[in-house]
């Protein structure tokens, strides 16, 4: 046997009395505020916070803001100019290379051979060799 | 139950103060609707930790969006819309992320009844029966689709009228009634076994 629709409704209605545990909502509230503070601090530290502080400072600077603005603009342009990538320069020398042929120095062993007296009369006869 | 079709919004003053940055006024709104929204989210997610985190996100979203709240509906309806939409989105993501099966969810529900029935603390036997019934009901509820579960939670558990539910879900009253009818049939089938044993 199935419960009818009315009985299902009555069963589910019992759950109306269910509540989170006692003290839950107070703890929940504390955590809620803690999370909001953490989020606010994260925003303050991030780019949004910097921008907010910058615009606030500009707002408070009065007429001097134009001078600051011009100075900042000039600094930005100068920084861009300095940081811009320049083409690397390759040095091309137009001076011609000087050269001359230097005769090689005669080999010492060849000089020794040339000094030798190789004439037949200076060589003696066969069998006349003295030991 | 606030009904913005007949009565002026009872939260107008608190909402106005909260919009001007009065955090105590927003705290009062959290305390006024926290329990009901907890019930709504818990009955849809069946998980204590998810309910807690989602509820924090819901109130944070409401707090951030308060400047956009034009008062065209009651604050109650507006924050319920935020809660239902965020919970349905969360359930879709959870299903995709973990591929959690119904059986796994059922065991979580059985072992983790997060809500406490405060009307029957004095009668242990009745409390035990209600505890068992709660488990069975949660189990049966988890077999419903998210949209059917939302309608059952708001109508049967929280006692909201069809018109209010239709406004929150941005569907017709006829759709709410037909979803309820289908969901009741599903619950009847799932509770049949327990019903036979207990009767």
């Amino acid at each position: 046997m199935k419960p009818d629709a009315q009985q299902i409704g009555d069963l589910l209605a019992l759950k109306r009395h269910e509540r989170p545990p006692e003290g839950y909502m107070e703890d929940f509230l504390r955590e809620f505020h803690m999370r909001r503070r953490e989020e606010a601090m994260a925003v303050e530290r991030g780019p949004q916070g910097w921008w907010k502080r910058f615009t606030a400072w500009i707002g408070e600077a009065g007429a001097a803001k134009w001078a600051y603005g011009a100075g900042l603009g000039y600094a930005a342009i100068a920084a861009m100019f300095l940081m811009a990538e320049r083409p690397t320069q390759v040095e091309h020398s137009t001076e011609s290379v000087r050269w001359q042929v230097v005769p090689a120095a005669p080999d010492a062993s060849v000089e020794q051979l040339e000094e030798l007296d190789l004439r037949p009369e200076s060589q003696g006869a066969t069998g006349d060799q003295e030991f | 139950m606030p009904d913005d079709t007949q009565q002026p919004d009872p939260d107008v003053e608190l909402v106005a103060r909260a919009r001007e940055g009065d955090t105590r006024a927003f705290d009062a709104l959290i305390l006024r609707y926290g329990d009901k929204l907890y019930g709504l989210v818990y009955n849809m997610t069946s998980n204590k930790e998810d309910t807690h985190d989602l509820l924090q996100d819901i109130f944070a979203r409401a707090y951030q969006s308060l400047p956009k709240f034009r008062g065209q509906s009651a604050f109650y309806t507006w924050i319920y819309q935020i809660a239902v939409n965020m919970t349905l989105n969360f359930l879709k993501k959870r299903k995709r992320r973990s591929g959690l099966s119904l059986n796994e969810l059922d065991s979580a529900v059985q072992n983790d009844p997060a809500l406490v029935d405060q009307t029957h603390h004095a009668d242990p036997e009745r409390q035990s029966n209600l505890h068992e019934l709660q488990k069975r009901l949660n189990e049966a509820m988890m077999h419903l689709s998210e949209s059917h579960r939302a309608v059952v939670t708001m109508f049967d558990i929280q006692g909201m009228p069809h018109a209010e539910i239709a406004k929150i879900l941005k569907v017709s009253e006829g759709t709410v009634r037909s979803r309820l009818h289908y969901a009741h049939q599903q619950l009847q089938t799932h509770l049949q076994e327990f019903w036979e044993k207990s009767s």
Side-chain angles (χ1 to χ4, degrees), chain A residues 1 3 15-16 18 31 33, chain B residues 27 134 138 157 188 196:
Chain A
M1 189 185 77
K15 286 165 75 66
R16 280 180 203 171
E18 293 171 336
E31 190 181 329
H33 287 296
Chain B
D27 287 357
Q134 186 189 53
N138 287 346
I157 301 178
Q188 280 174 296
E196 281 165 357

Side-chain angles (χ1 to χ4, degrees), chain A residues 27-43:
Chain A
D27 294 341
F28 179 88
L29 261 183
R30 266 192 292 279
E31 190 181 329
F32 180 76
H33 287 296
M34 198 182 72
R35 286 192 187 194
R36 298 289 77 69
R37 274 195 298 276
E38 281 171 3
E39 274 177 18
M41 280 167 68
V43 168

Side-chain angles (χ1 to χ4, degrees), chain A residues 1-72:
Chain A
M1 189 185 77
K2 283 182 185 178
D4 60 31
Q6 181 61 45
Q7 285 165 327
I8 289 287
D10 291 344
L11 277 176
L12 289 165
L14 283 174
K15 286 165 75 66
R16 280 180 203 171
H17 302 291
E18 293 171 336
R19 294 281 180 275
E22 210 170 319
Y24 173 81
M25 286 315 295
E26 285 72 23
D27 294 341
F28 179 88
L29 261 183
R30 266 192 292 279
E31 190 181 329
F32 180 76
H33 287 296
M34 198 182 72
R35 286 192 187 194
R36 298 289 77 69
R37 274 195 298 276
E38 281 171 3
E39 274 177 18
M41 280 167 68
V43 168
E44 276 294 303
R45 282 193 295 265
Q48 261 184 300
W50 281 102
W51 180 248
K52 208 173 152 185
R53 280 197 292 278
F54 175 71
T55 50
W57 176 73
I58 286 287
E60 287 165 9
K65 66 185 169 194
W66 300 113
Y68 288 129
L72 271 175

Side-chain angles (χ1 to χ4, degrees), chain A residues 43-130:
Chain A
V43 168
E44 276 294 303
R45 282 193 295 265
Q48 261 184 300
W50 281 102
W51 180 248
K52 208 173 152 185
R53 280 197 292 278
F54 175 71
T55 50
W57 176 73
I58 286 287
E60 287 165 9
K65 66 185 169 194
W66 300 113
Y68 288 129
L72 271 175
Y74 176 76
I77 290 167
M80 277 167 61
F81 179 75
L82 289 171
M83 288 166 70
E85 197 179 333
R86 292 181 192 173
T88 49
Q89 288 181 346
V90 180
E91 284 186 19
H92 296 286
S93 175
T94 53
E95 195 180 335
S96 57
V97 178
R98 288 182 186 173
W99 60 275
Q100 65 180 83
V101 177
V102 179
D107 196 339
S109 58
V110 175
E111 278 179 13
Q112 272 183 338
L113 281 174
E114 281 174 355
E115 285 170 10
L116 283 175
D117 186 4
L118 296 174
R119 287 173 300 163
E121 56 267 26
S122 66
Q123 299 300 308
T126 307
D128 292 343
Q129 290 177 9
E130 289 177 12

